[in-house]
Amino acid sequence: MTQDAPPAKRGRKRAVHEEEVVAAAIRLLGTRGADAVSIRGIAAELGLAPNAVYTYFPDRAAVVRAVVEHLLGETDLAALSSPDTPWRDRIHALATDLRHRLLAHPGAVHLLLSGPMDGPNALALGEALLTVLADAGLDPTEAARASYLLIVQVLGAIALEAAELPSPAPAPPVDERIALRREQLRSIPADHYPRTVEAADTIARFVSDEQYAWGLDRALDGIAGRATG
């Protein structure tokens, strides 16, 4: 007569930290895109039950906010706080940094625009931008309006770039993206869209660094015209 095998011992429940949850969400963004960032998806990525994630985040929206905060927290605000650097150069440095960081995680752009940016890092970014605009000679009302204009310009341009990317992976080199756009534009019939075909080379370069800087400069030109100092 054989004896019953002793019951299997349960493994210790692995502790998980909030930072691990956010890191897992960012990994999912990079491999599967924004739709994969869910409580269950994150739990599966970490090899945990969903309840372990709910310990820190009550729902997906809370995870999204934490991811946005993490990415904004990586932004170099020192570029905005150097009074010896012209105010326009400081804003260009911020805009360039944001574009490079967000296009490294294209899925994050969708998350960034899907909810309010009201965490401590987002507020710190907004405060730094308002300070730069005050240095430019804008009064508080004009600075606030200009700040919103710049956020719309920068994030809008980045969002349109991210929307063209075929996968959640980081953006391909700019030259490759321009070449692909140029090839696609060649199929447009000139008899129906003559002006589009005429401007095709410029349109193909809408994802270039040059176009990004051009759009920002036009916004900054308008802001400079409102300065009182």
Side-chain angles (χ1 to χ4, degrees), residues 13-136:
K13 186 176 181 180
R14 184 170 76 83
V16 64
H17 301 288
E18 184 174 337
E19 293 80 5
E20 290 181 79
V21 175
V22 173
I26 292 173
R27 287 197 301 275
L28 287 173
L29 277 175
T31 57
R32 296 172 55 195
D35 291 342
V37 180
S38 65
I39 298 296
R40 289 188 176 277
I42 293 168
E45 175 74 12
L46 292 169
L48 300 170
N51 284 347
V53 179
Y54 283 120
T55 301
Y56 297 99
F57 299 100
D59 51 32
R60 181 180 185 272
V63 175
V64 168
R65 286 193 177 194
V67 169
V68 170
E69 268 289 284
H70 176 85
L71 294 174
L72 291 179
E74 293 181 335
T75 303
D76 182 13
L77 295 185
L80 287 179
S81 61
S82 174
D84 296 330
T85 303
W87 68 273
R88 290 178 69 129
D89 291 347
R90 285 186 263 168
I91 292 174
H92 265 286
L94 169 69
T96 299
D97 186 49
L98 277 174
R99 181 169 174 244
H100 288 165
R101 290 185 185 280
L102 292 177
L103 288 182
H105 305 282
V109 180
H110 171 75
L111 295 184
L112 195 69
L113 300 178
S114 66
M117 292 187 293
D118 54 5
N121 290 333
L123 290 172
L125 176 60
E127 182 73 13
L129 187 54
L130 288 171
T131 300
V132 175
L133 293 168
D135 290 345

Side-chain angles (χ1 to χ4, degrees), residues 181-201:
R181 287 171 59 87
R182 188 177 287 119
E183 187 64 29
Q184 292 169 339
L185 287 163
R186 284 181 182 148
S187 64
I188 295 177
D191 54 338
H192 285 81
Y193 309 101
R195 295 186 185 276
T196 300
V197 171
E198 182 182 28
D201 190 63

Side-chain angles (χ1 to χ4, degrees), residues 141-178:
T141 298
E142 292 289 333
R145 288 174 171 167
S147 174
Y148 182 71
L149 169 64
L150 291 172
I151 290 170
V152 170
Q153 170 64 34
V154 168
L155 294 185
I158 295 171
L160 287 174
E161 281 195 66
E164 290 190 11
L165 299 178
S167 72
V174 171
D175 288 347
E176 289 183 17
R177 294 161 61 203
I178 292 172

